[in-house]
Amino acid sequence: MLRRLSADHGSFRTVTFRPGINLLVADTTETSRETDSRNGTGKSSLVELLHFLLGAPAGKKSLTSRRALQKITFALTLDWPGDGRVTVQRQGCDPGFVRLDPDVRHDSGGLFDVAGPAVIPTAEWNRLVEQTLFGLGLDHPGISGRTMLSFLMRRIAAKAFNDAVRTFPQQSEAEATANLAYLLGLDWRLAAEFRELAARESTRRQLRKAVDDPVWGRIVGSVADLRGQIALAENEVSRLKDQISSFRVVPAYEELKNRADDINRRIRAIPNEDITDRRNLEDLQKSVSEAADPDTSYLERAYQELGVTLGRQVRQRFDDVQAFHASVVRNRRRYLMDEMNTIQQRLEARRREREQLGEELASVLKALEEGGALEALTALQQALAQKQASVDALKHRYEAAQALESSARQITAKRAELQEAMAADLDERQTQTREAILLFAEYARRLYGPEHEAYLAIQSGTNSLKITPFIDRGDSRGIGNMVIFCLDLTVAVIARRHGRGPDFLVHDSHLFDGVDDRQIAAALTLGAEVAEEEGMQYIVSLNSDDLSKAVQRGFDVEDRIIEPRLTDGSEEGGLFGLRF
């Protein structure tokens, strides 16, 4: 049970709880003005503080994170099984840790073994709450003490009064009913599997949507496209492996390559030199043929016919000139012949050079073709590594695409399997479902009479365990709030009876918004009786006019209102004793 809510700030009005029903009333005073309101007196803040001290996350917008409150140390004293009572303290400016007094982690089995206070992480405090108040083990996927506390202490800030089986509007039905299943004694693991399945389905839909996107579609790809890409890439990998396995590293590869280039250039230059020499040779041959002795015999016949007799001296000089000219002709022909020989020798030398170069070039090219440089082998190995990595990436994408395309079938099959298993489990747990159904129906009849149909339907749904509380009185907000009241009371009682939940239930005054006076009185009377019969604590905050209407309808309020009595007459009248 909860015992005391306090703070180290002087203006805070300590709340002391007791067994049974506890009414925290917000009243108007004679000094209240028409513009005053009991909204903001602290009724809903009481629930927020209880959640805060029992380990709720404290974001920047949370109540205790406000500047006026964040340095205040709030404290809650509650009964702790095996350790008597424990007081937990926590500050909004340091929400990651709580102070426990005594340290309930300590085994106080010894007679003189007294544990002192301890500061522990809030996450560890949450685990202690789950283990001690809800009896959860270390492994409980899909359910949490925080969610179950949200059913036992609904928060108006989280819009927990919008739906009986949800603690906030965005909560999935699978998550909510898994936690309710635990509190009601049903197979919560099966119910939680629906939650996992819902998460897989959500992920699959997001991936499917991404695949349909023109850009992401190219990144993820389809199974058919990726299968073809993998085949081509693997063929390229095989080709590169064959090249590497047959590759032979040629020493001095660059030198051979340069020699081949030099030979090629020389072979290309030789024909040009031959053309020049052959042209010169032809000219020389023509000059040789033209270098002949002139015929001078006609001169002597010409002189004889003219009757001129040449003297001996003239004849001598003519012979000398003729001999000199013959000598010149012989020398020229010899020179020309020598030049021709030289040219022919060069032509012959280049022919032999060309043959030698051709043989050498063939040898070098053969060596180059049979292997390559070490750098070429390294480049091939790098290309193979890149292509292999590409194949691996394609295979991962193929597996992802295959899983995506097959996940829809798997999810459908798993959902059908879960639905069948859940239905079979509900048949086997008729004792638990019967207890919940009868208790809910009894509470509903206490509020609206036996003539109105009321039931708690528990069945295996397509996407989750279906828990449907129903009272045949229409769809008004007041009726809906009383459905929540009956369901919460049913869940709290069953969880308390079987050791799966704490012994308190807390309701905010918003639960009674729109509720008829008769049902307010009946609900408070029922809550008081059930709390006394079950050894529980039912804490309710409500406005004084709602309480007055309930009293007028027969609710016995004696000794059920707890201190403080909240008012809207001044800043000091609220729970915190200050405005913020």
Side-chain angles (χ1 to χ4, degrees), residues 414-451:
K414 182 64 176 178
R415 184 177 289 121
E417 179 185 336
L418 270 179
Q419 189 175 5
E420 188 69 23
M422 179 61 74
D425 182 72
L426 290 176
D427 288 339
E428 294 176 359
R429 295 178 190 254
Q430 291 187 11
T431 302
Q432 290 88 342
T433 56
R434 179 183 175 84
E435 181 183 20
I437 291 170
L438 293 179
L439 210 54
F440 179 86
E442 177 190 344
Y443 295 158
R445 281 196 294 271
R446 288 283 300 275
L447 299 184
Y448 292 100
E451 66 275 17

Side-chain angles (χ1 to χ4, degrees), residues 1 18-23 527-528 531-532 535-539 560:
M1 288 188 183
R18 56 196 178 200
I21 190 169
N22 292 254
L23 302 179
E532 183 175 353
M536 295 178 58
Q537 195 175 39
Y538 181 43
I539 299 171
R560 288 171 174 172

Side-chain angles (χ1 to χ4, degrees), residues 435-543:
E435 181 183 20
I437 291 170
L438 293 179
L439 210 54
F440 179 86
E442 177 190 344
Y443 295 158
R445 281 196 294 271
R446 288 283 300 275
L447 299 184
Y448 292 100
E451 66 275 17
H452 294 288
E453 184 182 13
Y455 58 80
L456 181 65
I458 304 174
Q459 58 185 338
S460 178
T462 305
N463 299 310
S464 69
L465 171 66
K466 304 288 288 187
I467 298 177
T468 310
F470 176 77
I471 297 177
D472 183 21
R473 287 289 293 179
D475 296 328
S476 70
R477 181 180 180 184
I479 299 297
N481 284 346
M482 287 302 94
V483 170
I484 292 175
F485 170 81
C486 293
L487 178 64
D488 289 354
L489 196 59
T490 299
V491 170
V493 168
I494 291 177
R496 162 65 176 164
R497 284 178 181 175
H498 301 284
R500 292 189 296 269
D503 54 1
F504 56 81
L505 173 66
V506 182
H507 275 151
D508 183 78
S509 61
H510 288 84
L511 181 70
F512 300 101
D513 291 346
V515 179
D516 188 273
D517 302 348
R518 291 163 291 184
Q519 276 69 52
I520 295 177
L524 293 177
T525 302
L526 176 61
E529 293 177 2
V530 170
E532 183 175 353
E533 292 169 0
E534 301 290 340
M536 295 178 58
Q537 195 175 39
Y538 181 43
I539 299 171
V540 188
S541 67
L542 74 171
N543 293 323

Side-chain angles (χ1 to χ4, degrees), residues 12 21 30 32 67 76-77 110 114 116 132 178 187-188 195 198 217 224 229-230 327 342 354 416 483 495 533 547 574:
F12 188 82
I21 190 169
E30 295 180 353
S32 299
R67 179 172 298 179
L76 174 67
T77 301
V114 179
T132 306
D187 191 337
W188 61 271
R195 176 176 174 271
Q229 293 176 27
I230 289 172
S327 173
T342 301
R354 185 166 53 247
V483 170
E533 292 169 0
L547 180 60

Side-chain angles (χ1 to χ4, degrees), residues 4 16 28 54 399 482 538:
R4 187 170 183 267
T16 303
T28 58
L54 289 173
E399 291 172 359
M482 287 302 94
Y538 181 43

Side-chain angles (χ1 to χ4, degrees), residues 190-210:
L190 279 178
E193 286 189 44
F194 276 112
R195 176 176 174 271
E196 296 175 6
L197 209 57
R200 285 181 58 189
E201 176 65 20
S202 176
T203 303
R204 193 196 71 81
R205 287 177 180 169
Q206 292 177 359
L207 287 174
R208 184 73 262 169
K209 187 176 180 180

